[in-house]
Structures are given as C-alpha cells and as structure tokens.
Amino acid sequence: MTSTAHYQRRLVTCASCGQTGPHHGHGYCTTCYSRWHYHGRPTDGPPAPGTLPRQTKPRPLPTHCHRGHPLDDTNLRYDSRGVRLCNSCRLDVERAYRQRRFAQQHPGHDVIPAVDGRRYCRTCRNTDNVDEMAVERAASGDPPARLTPAERAAAVLQLTGKGLTNEVIAQRIRCHPRTVSAARQRNRAKTAPRPV
C-alpha cells in the first residue's frame, strides 16, 4: 500500500508573505516561489504581488540568416505575425521547387540552358523532330503514352483537314478540347498569309 503523504508538500510559513502554505523551496510558498523565479531570483526575495515583470534586454538583430544571407534593409522582411524572414531564403526555396518540378516533367529529356539562364527542353519543344508514326497513331485514335506538343499539333492539323470537330479530335488524341482549340489557332497563325 502506497502512501500519498510522500507526494504532498509540507506546510510552512512563507518567509516572504507570512502565510501558511505548501513549501516549494527556499522557505517560500508555491506562489511566492513562482514569483521569485519569474523575476530572475532576486537576492532580496520575491517582489510584492502585482509588480511589473522583469525587464528583458532586447535581443540584437542578427546580421545574417541561418543560411548566411545578409539581413539588410533590402533582404529582411516581416510576416503578419512579426516574424523575421529572409527574402533570399524564400527565393532559394522557390527556385529549388521550380527545378524539382521541371525535372519531374522532363525526365531523360534533352535539356539545355537558355540565354536568359532558364532551362530549355529540346525534346518537348523541338518542332523538327516529329515522329510520323506517333502522329498516325494519334490520328487513328490510338495515341502513344506521350505526345510532344509538335506531334499533337501535327495530329490536330491532319484531323482538322478531315473536317472533324474539336471534341472528336480531343477524344481521338486523348486530350482536352481546349488543347485542340489552342493547337488549331497556332496552326492558323502559322499558315495565315502575312502582310507585305
């Protein structure tokens, strides 16, 4: 049989307030001990109840973020809660996200850096390399698993010549009717006569 008396604090007369209460430490009751501890354990004992909290020193503003970017006026910003944010860190995270998305969308493709620094996929954008078998399969209603935009445009052009509507073409090449409409507009723009 365990005794609960072992876990109870003994009653003492508090050295600060003079009231009898459970002992917490240093001769103070629980309330006075908590107040004494909160105010930084002053040597003259706990302050009187209702005194202002202790004044803490303002923490200096760091000169660099945790990734080493300088926190100056152009790079430092605050969110709605007042939390400091590094603008360079945010841009790095967004850039890494865009690179991951690009790598997921173009696995194993021929990717080169463009003039402006962005990456350019020659596999998806090359209009010279159109697989005629893929275009024929798409036009017959059995498209391959992946059609490049150039192959899709060639299949749309071939099916438009047969007089099919956008919805029927979209069902055949397994894409959205808006994709077919956009491809038809691009084909019209390419074949439209240019003013001299």
Side-chain angles (χ1 to χ4, degrees):
M1 184 168 126
T2 60
S3 171
T4 57
H6 176 72
Y7 298 105
Q8 293 177 351
R9 296 186 183 273
R10 63 187 171 97
L11 295 178
V12 295
T13 302
C14 181
S16 175
C17 64
Q19 296 180 358
T20 303
H23 180 256
H24 197 83
H26 295 276
Y28 304 129
C29 65
T30 304
T31 307
C32 292
Y33 181 85
S34 299
R35 194 168 57 250
W36 176 68
H37 185 74
Y38 176 77
H39 284 274
R41 299 183 179 199
T43 55
D44 56 345
T51 56
L52 292 174
R54 62 183 169 148
Q55 298 295 323
T56 57
K57 295 179 185 175
R59 293 172 59 185
L61 188 67
T63 58
H64 290 79
C65 72
H66 66 282
R67 291 186 179 171
H69 301 125
L71 291 177
D72 52 6
D73 293 338
T74 58
N75 198 23
L76 179 65
R77 63 188 190 92
Y78 294 90
D79 69 356
S80 60
R81 296 172 295 157
V83 177
R84 286 189 302 266
L85 299 173
C86 175
N87 200 34
S88 296
C89 288
R90 181 181 63 86
L91 294 175
D92 288 347
V93 168
E94 290 175 359
R95 187 178 307 115
Y97 173 75
R98 286 194 304 269
Q99 289 175 353
R100 281 195 311 271
R101 289 279 299 173
F102 190 88
Q104 289 171 355
Q105 293 172 349
H106 306 281
H109 292 187
D110 184 17
V111 177
I112 60 169
V115 178
D116 57 356
R118 292 183 292 175
R119 297 189 296 171
Y120 181 76
C121 181
R122 292 197 292 190
T123 306
C124 294
R125 302 291 181 198
N126 195 352
T127 57
D128 298 335
N129 298 336
V130 175
D131 185 8
E132 294 299 326
M133 286 300 296
V135 173
E136 288 298 325
R137 283 181 59 191
S140 66
D142 182 31
R146 178 166 171 79
L147 277 176
T148 65
E151 293 167 350
R152 187 179 297 116
V156 168
L157 183 64
Q158 185 176 359
L159 293 173
T160 303
K162 295 181 181 178
L164 299 177
T165 63
N166 288 353
E167 289 76 19
V168 175
I169 295 173
Q171 287 177 355
R172 283 224 186 154
I173 63 175
R174 294 192 187 128
C175 67
H176 199 275
R178 288 185 196 157
T179 306
V180 175
S181 175
R184 287 175 98 165
Q185 287 178 355
R186 281 192 295 273
N187 285 336
R188 270 191 234 113
K190 285 179 187 176
T191 59
R194 294 182 181 170
V196 179

